[in-house]
Amino acid sequence: MNQFGVRLPDLPDEILLMILKKLSNTDVLYSLLNINDERLDIIAKEKIFSNILDFVSFDPLSSIDRFKLEHFCFDILPKIHENVKCFILKPDLMECVLLASDYPNLTELQLFNFKEEFVLPYFTSVSPLRHIFQEQITDLILVNNDIDKLSEPSNNYTVNVYEHTLKFFKRLKHLNIIGSVKMSSPLLSLIDLPSNTFHSSILTYLSIDVCSLDDCLHLLDGRLKQLTTLNVRISYIDSSLAIIHNMDNLTLMTCFSLKCDSQINLNDTNFLPLFRRMSNLEKLTLYLRIKDQDRFADGTLLQNEILVHMPHLHSFIFYICTYINTDGLQNQLSSEDIQRTFTNIGQHVVSMINHSSCETITCSVFSIPFTFDRLHDIGHMIPNTRFNYVTYLVVRDVIPFNRKFFIQVARAFPLLMTCRIFNRESQSCQFTDSQSYEIAEYPYLTYLDILCGNIDYLEQFLNETKTYVPCLTKLRVVYNNLRIVTNKKVFRKYRSMGDIDYLQLVLSDFTLKQLFYINWFNNNLDIGVANRNMKIIELLRECTGDKLEKWTSITIEQSLMAINGLDFLSRTEEILLDAKLRTYLTSKDCSDTIIEPYVQKCCDTSLTIAFGRKITIFKMDRTYTGTIAHGNCSKCMKQYSHNYFMDQGKKYVTYNSIFNSDLIYLGGNYGYDKQFIVWLSNSILYLYSGFENFAKCY
């Protein structure tokens, strides 16, 4: 501005303040304090520039940032120390910043990159920061990045970290614990812990991720007596355990928010009775996905089951998605029918109905404006509204998505970062070369999942003449589809995947062996088993020996989507295949099984396998055929079979070769199941036991 004869100090205070408000407070203080300009010095010391100070961007390993930090600690903070009300820090900067001066008005602390081993040493009676933490801090925000602790039992982390923190900060009234990314931090779990765990008589605000609905009910059982606001994000809402909760009315509760990404069954939980206790509630936020219902969650259901119990409610923000099996749906309703049921609620509501699969109808209802960051299972019809906060989107339908659909998605979701497409149908209504069309622009999209989508949708996103995705770094896709698409000339830039830093294929997440096991367990484990996905993980650990320490219920859901994408066999197909195999084997001259040697190695060397004769094997209920496999040792020249080995022309039987096998084969054309041998021996003994002298001979 000097070329026009105007300097920064020449600007009026109003314009100068407008400019400085666009900068961070730390930049303003670092740039304007101590520059020998009294007017700018006074402006920089204004409370608006010194009440909240954010040091998260400072890197202690950077020489420039270290110099800036020293300047703050020795020159700036002592001058504005009385104005500071809130610090935003990382653990490695806590000590140098908080000990740089006294901060009599400091009451709020935000800690990013929170990890147990880095932070808890400061939450002790010998900590140099103890006085600040225990006597001043009333508002605490922890951005938890303890991802390594996710594999540990939630109860342990609850006691060691969450319970300890709440006890240590003696004046704490507001506590907000969030993950660095969604549900990425260890969850609060109060089940099986004493009733005084995570107890406070002064906490009024709590926002936290919990394991289950039971943990939410524990928080509301009286241990937080002054709680007026509760925001919970629940990992799952399963059938409530046989626990008797305190069901007293929550007369102080004025704000309640509950969000759960997992599908829930309202009939099996204590979910709905919870709202009958909140008669003084003023603000309610719900994010729910409901399954196994015989009707859609519409305005009538919400009014009768929830809102009627809250006469003081003046803010209701919600997204509720219902999944109904088409076999159990008695009346076919339209989006307009659902929307009319919200007439008496007195706010703008959008409803959408689509077929998420051939057997499932999905109904989504939500308040406008849409304030959530995730949206699941919308179909081919995009409502005429903007979703300005949504970064995660799942689109699912049996009706094909055309080019116009993806253009509409780009317009409606301007900040979209993750998009997952579930649609096997080929893209419809293709534009011809003579038609004009715009390019769908996704400027922030980093993760695209088309593992369960038609190849046309992969072509849609990788074709630069159709879609603009400058930030795409993570792609989840069937490899063969990617190979086919990128062989076309228009995709030349993607052939080396140079613009995609991380290509996530199905085999990158799971081994084929794991997928086969998961598919079999999923096909054969009863659908009504509680915690079904966790049971599958337990079975998988036993069968494969893999630790799977970081696997969760979501991991199994992801594997099942991968299995769906690879088109594995269903339970019905397994049964049909088994029947066809039995029919074939009884009508053809082929073996049911390979009868392997009882050892695989000799002289520390793997045996060379050779196949021999086919034999008939007798079982209790049937006979079947088998092919004998011999193992030859190249060093000692021994030959191993199923129940014996040959050495220099002589046959030897060992203990292990007999007792570790269910099959007895000692040569010839026949083998015998061990149970069959036992039955035959018992029958002979019984038959001849009456003969004289038999006992003596035996």
Side-chain angles (χ1 to χ4, degrees):
M1 296 180 69
N2 285 332
Q3 59 179 319
F4 299 103
V6 179
R7 300 178 303 117
L8 188 65
D10 296 333
L11 295 173
D13 286 356
E14 294 79 6
I15 296 178
L16 190 57
L17 286 172
M18 290 175 60
I19 294 173
L20 296 179
K21 286 179 181 179
K22 302 294 183 181
L23 305 176
S24 70
N25 286 358
T26 51
D27 286 339
V28 172
L29 292 170
Y30 184 77
S31 303
L32 299 186
L33 273 183
N34 301 328
I35 62 172
N36 297 321
D37 189 307
E38 184 178 353
R39 175 170 170 260
L40 293 180
D41 201 69
I42 293 173
I43 291 176
K45 289 181 180 179
E46 289 281 342
K47 290 184 179 180
I48 189 175
F49 298 120
S50 55
N51 58 357
I52 300 176
L53 298 182
D54 185 350
F55 290 93
V56 171
S57 62
F58 282 49
D59 182 3
L61 300 180
S62 166
S63 58
I64 296 177
D65 284 350
R66 282 202 306 272
F67 177 81
K68 290 175 63 176
L69 188 61
E70 289 177 2
H71 183 48
F72 265 98
C73 292
F74 290 105
D75 298 322
I76 298 177
L77 291 177
K79 292 181 179 180
I80 50 96
H81 67 110
E82 291 186 351
N83 294 344
V84 179
K85 293 183 178 180
C86 172
F87 275 124
I88 305 174
L89 302 167
K90 293 183 294 187
D92 51 3
L93 298 182
M94 278 199 309
E95 193 164 346
C96 66
V97 171
L98 293 178
L99 295 180
S101 182
D102 292 328
Y103 307 99
N105 296 308
L106 177 65
T107 59
E108 182 176 347
L109 181 63
Q110 299 183 27
L111 290 182
F112 279 70
N113 198 29
F114 176 94
K115 290 191 175 183
E116 178 181 357
E117 61 268 29
F118 296 154
V119 178
L120 285 195
Y122 289 105
F123 295 177
T124 64
S125 59
V126 296
S127 167
L129 305 176
R130 181 190 63 80
H131 177 78
I132 295 176
F133 291 160
Q134 291 195 332
E135 303 301 330
Q136 291 188 233
I137 300 301
T138 60
D139 293 42
L140 178 64
I141 297 178
L142 303 179
V143 182
N144 197 323
N145 195 33
D146 246 342
I147 298 177
D148 295 338
K149 302 291 185 177
L150 287 173
S151 58
E152 296 184 3
S154 297
N155 281 8
N156 292 350
Y157 197 89
T158 296
V159 173
N160 296 336
V161 179
Y162 297 145
E163 156 81 350
H164 176 74
T165 301
L166 188 60
K167 278 186 176 180
F168 184 71
F169 286 77
K170 297 183 180 299
R171 294 171 56 86
L172 201 60
K173 294 183 178 180
H174 289 203
L175 176 60
N176 187 356
I177 302 175
I178 56 178
S180 54
V181 294
K182 187 172 182 65
M183 300 298 281
S184 64
S185 60
L187 306 178
L188 178 80
S189 178
L190 297 171
I191 297 175
D192 298 328
L193 292 178
S195 59
N196 60 351
T197 305
F198 205 72
H199 172 274
S200 171
S201 60
I202 62 172
L203 193 72
T204 61
Y205 177 99
L206 175 63
S207 180
I208 196 168
D209 297 341
V210 301
C211 286
S212 68
L213 177 64
D214 272 302
D215 296 306
C216 175
L217 296 176
H218 278 302
L219 289 174
L220 298 172
D221 65 2
R223 69 186 70 203
L224 303 174
K225 298 182 182 298
Q226 300 300 316
L227 198 65
T228 61
T229 299
L230 176 61
N231 300 325
V232 288
R233 294 163 295 273
I234 299 179
S235 178
Y236 63 90
I237 300 180
D238 209 340
S239 299
S240 189
L241 300 177
I243 300 173
I244 299 176
H245 298 280
N246 181 354
M247 300 300 287
D248 292 343
N249 288 336
L250 304 167
T251 55
L252 296 180
M253 186 71 64
T254 58
C255 299
F256 180 65
S257 172
L258 187 148
K259 301 175 184 177
C260 182
D261 257 349
S262 302
Q263 295 184 20
I264 68 172
N265 187 336
L266 295 183
N267 298 324
D268 293 341
T269 70
N270 287 322
F271 177 74
L272 290 176
L274 173 62
F275 298 99
R276 298 166 192 164
R277 304 166 57 196
M278 301 181 179
S279 57
N280 293 325
L281 205 68
E282 298 174 4
K283 296 181 180 180
L284 174 63
T285 302
L286 294 178
Y287 186 101
L288 300 171
R289 301 169 66 207
I290 304 171
K291 64 179 180 178
D292 299 334
Q293 298 294 106
D294 55 4
R295 58 171 292 186
F296 293 132
D298 57 10
T300 303
L301 185 143
L302 293 178
Q303 179 65 35
N304 295 338
E305 297 291 342
I306 297 177
L307 302 183
V308 70
H309 304 290
M310 304 172 181
H312 303 289
L313 191 70
H314 60 76
S315 174
F316 183 29
I317 300 170
F318 65 94
Y319 162 78
I320 300 176
C321 184
T322 315
Y323 302 86
I324 295 184
N325 191 295
T326 52
D327 294 337
L329 189 62
Q330 298 178 353
N331 300 315
Q332 291 285 351
L333 298 176
S334 66
S335 297
E336 292 75 17
D337 295 328
I338 299 297
Q339 195 138 348
R340 277 192 289 270
T341 64
F342 287 91
T343 304
N344 296 329
I345 291 183
Q347 63 185 99
H348 190 191
V349 176
V350 171
S351 65
M352 299 183 298
I353 293 180
N354 64 287
H355 282 75
S356 54
S357 70
C358 295
E359 303 84 17
T360 306
I361 294 180
T362 302
C363 175
S364 301
V365 293
F366 49 85
S367 55
I368 294 296
F370 192 88
T371 59
F372 302 101
D373 60 356
R374 298 168 74 87
L375 184 56
H376 285 268
D377 297 336
I378 66 170
H380 68 287
M381 299 295 291
I382 302 293
N384 185 24
T385 187
R386 282 174 66 88
F387 300 85
N388 291 325
Y389 300 97
V390 173
T391 59
Y392 178 98
L393 175 67
V394 178
V395 293
R396 189 191 305 261
D397 211 324
V398 296
I399 297 176
F401 300 136
N402 56 30
R403 287 260 332 255
K404 184 179 179 181
F405 170 81
F406 291 106
I407 294 172
Q408 291 174 330
V409 169
R411 291 173 182 167
F413 301 88
L415 298 182
L416 190 63
M417 299 176 65
T418 297
C419 183
R420 308 185 67 189
I421 300 172
F422 295 81
N423 195 320
R424 293 293 184 186
E425 301 302 317
S426 178
Q427 197 170 32
S428 63
C429 300
Q430 298 288 349
F431 287 90
T432 64
D433 292 337
S434 61
Q435 291 176 297
S436 61
Y437 51 88
E438 64 179 282
I439 296 176
E441 297 188 10
Y442 296 85
Y444 302 102
L445 188 68
T446 58
Y447 178 31
L448 178 63
D449 180 358
I450 319 183
L451 183 64
C452 299
N454 189 280
I455 190 174
D456 288 350
Y457 307 124
L458 179 61
E459 193 267 353
Q460 162 80 39
F461 274 87
L462 296 191
N463 189 334
E464 289 182 301
T465 65
K466 296 180 179 180
T467 309
Y468 177 61
V469 282
C471 296
L472 185 63
T473 58
K474 192 173 182 182
L475 181 64
R476 185 175 175 84
V477 63
V478 176
Y479 175 74
N480 194 49
N481 288 351
L482 181 68
R483 183 180 57 81
I484 293 171
V485 167
T486 54
N487 273 337
K488 299 179 181 180
K489 291 182 179 179
V490 74
F491 305 103
R492 187 173 299 160
K493 67 172 287 189
Y494 290 105
R495 292 190 66 177
S496 65
M497 302 313 295
D499 287 356
I500 297 181
D501 299 327
Y502 179 53
L503 176 64
Q504 185 184 23
L505 305 178
V506 60
L507 296 184
S508 301
D509 292 332
F510 312 97
T511 66
L512 275 176
K513 184 176 182 180
Q514 288 172 339
L515 290 176
F516 277 114
Y517 272 116
I518 293 170
N519 183 61
W520 194 90
F521 292 140
N522 184 58
N523 286 342
N524 292 276
L525 193 62
D526 190 274
I527 195 69
V529 173
N531 297 324
R532 190 169 183 271
N533 287 350
M534 300 308 295
K535 293 290 193 303
I536 291 178
I537 293 177
E538 292 175 10
L539 290 166
L540 196 61
R541 286 175 179 145
E542 292 183 11
C543 293
T544 64
D546 299 332
K547 294 183 178 179
L548 311 178
E549 294 178 345
K550 296 186 178 181
W551 280 39
T552 64
S553 179
I554 297 175
T555 310
I556 297 299
E557 292 295 334
Q558 292 173 341
S559 71
L560 293 176
M561 286 188 289
I563 287 167
N564 184 36
L566 291 173
D567 203 18
F568 277 23
L569 293 179
S570 65
R571 174 61 175 157
T572 303
E573 290 170 327
E574 284 182 352
I575 295 172
L576 291 174
L577 191 62
D578 184 69
K580 287 183 179 294
L581 178 63
R582 290 297 166 200
T583 303
Y584 177 80
L585 291 176
T586 55
S587 62
K588 302 289 184 180
D589 182 21
C590 59
S591 298
D592 284 335
T593 186
I594 302 297
I595 304 170
E596 299 178 342
Y598 71 92
V599 295
Q600 301 298 317
K601 285 186 176 182
C602 181
C603 303
D604 294 326
T605 304
S606 297
L607 301 177
T608 302
I609 302 299
F611 296 99
R613 70 173 71 190
K614 291 183 175 62
I615 66 170
T616 300
I617 302 170
F618 291 88
K619 290 179 67 73
M620 291 293 296
D621 55 349
R622 63 184 177 90
T623 62
Y624 65 100
T625 59
T627 298
I628 297 296
H630 299 288
N632 300 306
C633 179
S634 59
K635 292 185 177 180
C636 67
M637 305 310 292
K638 291 179 182 178
Q639 184 186 72
Y640 292 86
S641 189
H642 191 67
N643 296 115
Y644 63 90
F645 69 90
M646 300 284 293
D647 186 16
Q648 297 181 357
K650 295 183 179 180
K651 187 180 295 185
Y652 297 87
V653 177
T654 67
Y655 178 90
N656 288 336
S657 67
I658 294 294
F659 287 95
N660 291 341
S661 171
D662 292 328
L663 175 69
I664 305 299
Y665 173 72
L666 300 176
N669 295 321
Y670 302 101
Y672 304 94
D673 181 82
K674 189 179 290 184
Q675 289 184 344
F676 178 82
I677 293 290
V678 172
W679 171 83
L680 184 62
S681 301
N682 287 339
S683 298
I684 293 174
L685 288 173
Y686 179 78
L687 181 64
Y688 290 100
S689 61
F691 282 66
E692 191 175 350
N693 296 327
F694 178 80
K696 295 179 181 179
C697 294
Y698 181 70

